[in-house]
Amino acid sequence: MKVYLLLLVCLFSAFPLFAQNPRILDSLFAKTESGNQREQVDAYVDIAREYRQINADSTNWYAQIAIQRAESLNYPEGKIDAYYEIGFAADRTGDYARAVQLFNNVITQSDSINYTIGLTKGYNGLGLVYEMQGDYVKALHYHLLNLEILEKLNDRRGMAMVYNNIAIVYKDQKEYDKSLESHWKSLKISEETFDSLGMAISNYNIGHTNQLKGNNEQALFHFLKTKEITELTNDIYGMGKVYHSIGDIYYSDKLYKKAFDYYSKSKAFYEECTANTDLTDPLIGLGKIYLHDSNHNQAQQYLSKALSLAQKTGHIVNIRNSSELLFQSSKQMGDYQRALDYYVLFNTMKDSTLNDEQIKRLTLLEAEYNFKKERDSINYANEKARMTLDQQIERQQNTQNVSIIGMVILIGVLIILYRYYQLKKHAHLELQLLNAKIQDRNASLSNLNAEKNNLIGIVAHDLKNPLSNIVGAAGVLKTSEKDEEKLKFLDVIHTSGRKLMNMISEILNVESIEQRVADLDLSNINLTEVVNDVIDQFDEQAKAKQVQLVPHITENVHINAHAIYVPQVIENLLSNAIKFSPSEKNVFINLSINQSQALMEVRDEGPGLDKEDKARLFQKYQRLSAEPTAGEDSTGLGLSIVKKFVDAMKGKIWVETEVGKGASFFVAFELA
């Protein structure tokens, strides 16, 4: 279970990797009969690429057609691309010797015609083959050669792929932190380039590395992201990988029914795309479950098939895993002769793996050192050759001409330096004047803002006392008035007055809040407990509006924050979500750990926000286009206060939303 979609990757494919969309194949077959002859060759190569994860025979068939036509046209690039597809198919079916031969052929032919893309394909193929065979020295060597070319080409998608490949080498060396660092680099590039396949690869590998570290919760989070992408793109092989890994998570959590379902689906996907090398993984998973249930006949059936496939493809880890489980099953059945045979096979593979582990770190370091040494040697040779050439030119030049040229250059440099000095001096003066104007303008704006805030405070304060008298008087009159029509008017006066009082109190609190959050003392807070308390607090309010609160809360999340302001932040976000949610909708409250941060999300199914609303969202006194669904009050101050609290606690707050699709408010805090 070393590689996710690494074996899927073709650096410069313009099409999806799996022939799951008949329209793509129809389009490619149409191109084989139209366009110029080179375009027809390229179409056959693309058809071979579409089939390579599903049917290796079809890949070989169409690639051979491309090779024959490319030879007749004297089109070497098309021939190289076709050989690469045949090599990739050989690798997928476990024929590693043939794959190595073909990829070396791709490199040799590409180098002879200076075909850079062909070189990157050949290096990529060799790196993956040696990775599967456990030769990490060669694998890393070819990955680094590939990365060097891609950086020069500024091929960001290709760089993302190689970062994933290098990360897997580190993972196999149990250097999990280095592996995650490289995977996150790859994921960042894929997100920036909107590469859905790259995002699937990186998310799977991040999940697998977290699984190896024992962090099943983070692993499952990234596996589910991968599952979503592969299902959207109908990526059969990718679904096989991620369904098997999710099955492993459920198996380790002793959820055997769920594990069985995911292993079975993974097996079906692999069988559909004839991925024999990887089919051993779900077979072993199903065998483990039957062994756990003491169903030895079924266990032996699946595990024996897994062992046979693993031996055919040379998959050492799965030979060891399947033989170990077969030993346990045979022993429990009382078949000690077969148990002994499996035990000997298991120990042989185990010793081989242990010996490999002892030399992996040294060989990896040696590979890195040799690569750097070779690169430094090439740079030194180039520099030495350049210096020798310069000396020869100097000896051939006339001393008088050199002196004249040197004098002219010197004068020119002095003139340029003088003009540069004058321009810099002038620019410095202009910059000083501009800074002075900006400082004056800022001071003026600060004064105006202070005057505005002061005026708002004065007006609000002066209104508070008369309104208080009105509310009090209306309350007194209500107790003595018996006329129903007058009581209705008194109710309106009393209710409206209290609403105005609440709004004025909130306005008067704003400036006080801004002063209080200027310098907060932060402490260790159990965010899980705070979030659960707030959810309980708003449960009745949500039920009254027929809104369902749906929490997904990670246990024992501790953060550095302020004990008073954290609940206020969560209360405001949850209150807003309920306020803007129609009846019979959901409000989702999610709390998880993302690297070194606690990440909380409050997501509603309300009207959402447009771009103009998002720009004004966290500012004071902003009334947005969306209205509360039950006529609730809003001063436009709540989110501005939340933003100040979060900033003061060194956190981050942002929103992700689309009009008509609800809004998700995210808050990130530093973990304690």
Side-chain angles (χ1 to χ4, degrees), residues 522-528 556-562 592-599 649-650 668-672:
L522 306 183
S523 60
N524 187 319
I525 304 295
N526 189 326
L527 185 57
T528 300
N556 295 320
V557 178
H558 289 261
I559 61 172
N560 287 319
H562 193 277
S592 61
I593 296 176
N594 185 11
Q595 292 183 301
S596 62
Q597 291 183 320
L599 182 64
M649 290 185 287
K650 301 177 182 178
F669 293 108
E670 292 182 1
L671 292 175

Side-chain angles (χ1 to χ4, degrees), residues 499 541 544-547 576 578-583 627-633:
K499 287 183 179 179
Q541 181 179 337
K545 201 172 178 181
Q546 294 183 310
V547 171
N576 278 355
I578 297 171
K579 185 185 299 182
F580 290 94
S581 291
S583 295
E627 294 290 340
T629 55
E632 294 95 333
D633 297 322

Side-chain angles (χ1 to χ4, degrees), residues 346-503:
F346 163 66
N347 264 324
T348 303
M349 294 298 104
K350 181 181 179 183
D351 291 342
S352 173
T353 305
L354 288 173
N355 290 335
D356 287 343
E357 289 294 333
Q358 291 170 1
I359 64 171
K360 279 177 184 176
R361 188 181 300 274
L362 291 176
T363 53
L364 177 60
L365 294 175
E366 181 183 355
E368 293 176 336
Y369 171 79
N370 288 337
F371 177 76
K372 292 177 182 177
K373 184 178 179 180
E374 181 180 353
R375 184 173 59 189
D376 292 342
S377 176
I378 292 171
N379 292 339
Y380 174 77
N382 291 338
E383 181 66 15
K384 185 177 180 180
R386 187 189 65 78
M387 291 177 64
T388 302
L389 182 61
D390 289 345
Q391 290 173 358
Q392 291 174 351
I393 293 173
E394 278 186 354
R395 285 195 296 268
Q396 293 172 1
Q397 288 177 337
N398 184 278
T399 305
Q400 183 178 2
N401 290 339
V402 172
S403 300
I404 293 172
I405 292 171
M407 185 63 69
V408 171
I409 292 174
L410 179 61
I411 293 171
V413 170
L414 290 173
I415 292 172
I416 291 171
L417 289 174
Y418 177 74
R419 293 193 63 184
Y420 173 75
Y421 172 75
Q422 292 294 327
L423 289 171
K424 186 176 180 181
K425 184 177 179 181
H426 180 69
H428 182 67
L429 290 173
E430 289 186 346
L431 183 61
Q432 285 182 324
L433 291 173
L434 182 61
N435 284 337
K437 290 180 180 178
I438 291 173
Q439 289 175 0
D440 290 342
R441 178 63 60 86
N442 286 340
S444 176
L445 290 174
S446 296
N447 291 334
L448 288 172
N449 187 55
E451 290 178 8
K452 181 263 294 180
N453 290 339
N454 188 39
L455 180 60
I456 290 173
I458 291 171
V459 170
H461 188 272
D462 288 348
L463 286 172
K464 188 173 183 180
N465 288 335
L467 276 171
S468 178
N469 293 335
I470 291 171
V471 171
V476 171
L477 289 173
K478 283 174 62 179
T479 61
S480 59
E481 182 60 55
K482 297 182 179 179
D483 187 298
E484 291 187 2
E485 185 173 358
K486 289 181 181 180
L487 277 172
K488 289 181 182 178
F489 286 116
L490 287 172
D491 281 338
V492 171
I493 294 170
H494 189 265
T495 302
S496 299
R498 289 188 64 82
K499 287 183 179 179
L500 284 173
M501 286 286 290
N502 291 335
M503 293 172 67

Side-chain angles (χ1 to χ4, degrees), residues 633-652:
D633 297 322
S634 176
T635 61
L637 290 169
L639 287 176
S640 69
I641 295 172
V642 166
K643 180 74 164 60
K644 293 181 185 299
F645 283 161
V646 173
D647 288 345
M649 290 185 287
K650 301 177 182 178
K652 293 181 181 179

Side-chain angles (χ1 to χ4, degrees), residues 12 56 86 315 337 352 662:
F12 303 97
I86 297 174
H315 200 311
Q337 181 58 51
S352 173

Side-chain angles (χ1 to χ4, degrees), residues 580-620:
F580 290 94
S581 291
S583 295
E584 299 183 356
K585 293 291 184 178
N586 298 311
V587 171
F588 301 91
I589 308 99
N590 301 321
L591 175 60
S592 61
I593 296 176
N594 185 11
Q595 292 183 301
S596 62
Q597 291 183 320
L599 182 64
M600 190 188 125
E601 176 191 11
V602 178
R603 173 163 58 90
D604 62 57
E605 297 178 331
L609 303 168
D610 57 26
K611 290 183 179 179
E612 187 175 330
D613 284 342
K614 285 179 67 176
R616 298 183 290 120
L617 188 62
F618 295 108
Q619 301 175 19
K620 291 192 298 187

Side-chain angles (χ1 to χ4, degrees), residues 310-337:
Q311 288 174 324
K312 287 180 181 179
T313 57
H315 200 311
I316 294 175
V317 174
N318 279 349
I319 294 174
R320 182 195 65 194
N321 292 341
S322 55
S323 61
E324 180 184 14
L325 292 169
L326 283 166
F327 157 68
Q328 294 175 7
S329 176
S330 298
K331 181 181 176 183
Q332 291 175 23
M333 292 174 67
D335 190 347
Y336 298 110
Q337 181 58 51

